[in-house]
Amino acid sequence: MSKSHSASYAAAGVNIEAGYEGVRLMKKHVARTMIPGVVSDIGGFGGLFTPDVAGMITPTLVMGTDGVGTKQRLAQLMDKHDTVGIDCVAMCVNDIVCCGAKPIAFLDYIAIGKNDPEKVATLVSGVAEGCVQSGCALIGGETAEHPGTMEADDYDLAGFAVGIVDKEKVLDPARMTAGDVVIALPSSGCHSNGYSLVRKVFDVENADLNQYYDELGTTLGEALLTPTIIYVKPVLAAIEAAEIHGISHITGGGFYENIPRCIPDGLCAKIDKSAIKVSPIFNLLQKVGDIPERDMYNTYNMGVGMAVIVTKETADKAMEVFKAEGCDAYVIGEIIEGEDKIILE
């Protein structure tokens, strides 16, 4: 049992013992994420991991960091904290898999107004679930109590992911050619983007988040808190089976910002808007907020969590793998010659 105690620090609003209790409660969740390569337990000064580089010519680390953003305000309003950790992991690992990398390790950071061990452990349970879904280990993290700068019930959740890929297998958009096919991987809703606009449109501070909407098939709060889909396993499986030239994770900035990030000069992704299976939450959001269609596609994923660009010859194989992995993938466009990077029509 730790002898660490500071009455003076406690009087300033920081409860060291609550931090220890939080670590104790979260250990069972962290244990779910242990995979070969983990060297250290949580609680040390650094998380240790020995990656398996067998068969790789040039092992290359790929790193990504992100947070949940203001979606976590919905979790606070609904007092439901077990899913935003999935969003935290998803926003990081979905980015690094766009390079073709396999996530291996994750660390989280929780800033909280008042350290509530049960709440912290619940937040970490979501992080652990995200790590399990993506096949990586939660090897460490940090919880920081911020009295006087945050309200007691407030928190901010962020994370950092490390992945590995053989340099020879990093996805190279330079191989992209006109005629390649753009495949959509469906989203689960807003994922973790555009929530400042979501909160404004639905006035979430004053709204009844338990109101049921027929068009959503659920309550507004449940629809908005639905966790981000983690695409790591289906994407890695598809990379092995098909010739993939580019992947875009559709996050903040929507189609117009994210798809061009993997399109080389001289080419353009021609997207057929009529082919996109728009999620009901976006139709409701656009209607209630009277948001122009262009702004919707420049803010949200509109039902497409990832766009995967694959050769025409191997597109059917990629679709077969995605569907076998539980992704109801479908074609939304093609690559053409042009300088615009993206056209939606």
Side-chain angles (χ1 to χ4, degrees):
M1 185 174 180
S2 174
K3 296 181 179 179
S4 177
H5 173 74
S6 171
S8 299
Y9 209 9
V14 177
N15 187 337
I16 297 173
E17 285 83 357
Y20 298 148
E21 177 64 6
V23 171
R24 186 187 71 80
L25 292 174
M26 69 178 68
K27 281 192 172 184
K28 64 182 179 181
H29 304 299
V30 175
R32 296 180 57 218
T33 75
M34 294 299 99
I35 61 175
V38 176
V39 176
S40 59
D41 195 2
I42 61 170
F45 288 101
L48 305 180
F49 191 96
T50 303
D52 180 5
V53 298
M56 293 187 182
I57 298 172
T58 311
T60 302
L61 297 180
V62 181
M63 287 151 278
T65 186
D66 208 337
V68 180
T70 64
K71 181 176 185 175
Q72 60 202 5
R73 181 58 183 159
L74 272 296
Q76 292 162 6
L77 289 170
M78 296 174 66
D79 194 24
K80 180 174 170 53
H81 311 286
D82 60 339
T83 61
V84 285
I86 299 174
D87 293 292
C88 184
V89 176
M91 299 309 293
C92 299
V93 297
N94 283 347
D95 276 355
I96 65 176
V97 80
C98 289
C99 300
K102 173 182 171 54
I104 55 174
F106 192 85
L107 296 96
D108 61 13
Y109 175 81
I110 303 169
I112 192 166
K114 182 178 181 180
N115 196 338
D116 177 340
E118 293 283 352
K119 181 184 289 186
V120 169
T122 301
L123 287 167
V124 173
S125 75
V127 175
E129 174 59 27
C131 288
V132 169
Q133 290 183 24
S134 58
C136 69
L138 178 56
I139 62 170
E142 177 72 13
T143 301
E145 198 167 15
H146 288 186
T149 63
M150 300 176 75
E151 294 296 324
D153 289 337
D154 285 349
Y155 59 79
D156 190 29
L157 176 61
F160 177 83
V162 179
I164 192 167
V165 62
D166 194 334
K167 188 176 179 181
E168 308 300 316
K169 294 185 177 180
V170 173
L171 296 186
D172 183 6
R175 297 166 59 197
M176 199 176 295
T177 61
D180 284 355
V181 174
V182 183
I183 295 175
L185 303 187
S187 73
S188 58
C190 296
H191 281 183
S192 194
N193 307 108
Y195 273 81
S196 293
L197 181 54
V198 164
R199 291 183 300 111
K200 177 184 177 182
V201 167
F202 292 120
D203 187 19
V204 299
E205 298 294 327
N206 301 300
D208 179 4
L209 295 173
N210 292 315
Q211 181 179 348
Y212 185 90
Y213 284 79
D214 289 335
E215 58 265 56
L216 300 178
T218 186
T219 66
L220 178 61
E222 288 171 337
L224 294 177
L225 207 53
T226 301
T228 305
I229 292 176
I230 292 176
Y231 299 101
V232 170
K233 292 180 181 179
V235 166
L236 291 177
I239 288 173
E240 290 298 316
E243 187 176 344
I244 293 175
H245 289 162
I247 303 175
S248 289
H249 183 201
I250 312 299
T251 55
F255 283 65
Y256 287 101
E257 181 175 321
N258 291 289
I259 291 181
R261 292 168 67 179
C262 77
I263 307 295
D265 291 343
L267 294 178
C268 173
K270 182 181 178 182
I271 306 298
D272 178 5
K273 282 192 293 186
S274 68
I276 295 172
K277 299 175 183 178
V278 178
S279 303
I281 187 63
F282 298 116
N283 292 325
L284 181 63
L285 182 62
Q286 184 176 9
K287 180 177 69 175
V288 173
D290 191 25
I291 303 172
E293 184 182 66
R294 175 63 165 73
D295 288 357
M296 291 294 295
Y297 279 91
N298 209 158
T299 307
Y300 298 104
N301 66 64
M302 299 303 287
V304 179
M306 273 196 171
V308 179
I309 299 169
V310 59
T311 63
K312 186 175 182 179
E313 293 76 17
T314 63
D316 286 345
K317 185 60 179 176
M319 295 273 284
E320 178 183 321
V321 170
F322 284 133
K323 291 183 178 181
E325 291 286 332
C327 284
D328 190 18
Y330 61 99
V331 174
I332 58 169
E334 64 176 338
I335 302 300
I336 62 172
E337 294 182 352
E339 298 298 331
D340 291 328
K341 298 281 189 175
I342 183 170
I343 298 173
L344 273 74
E345 59 181 28

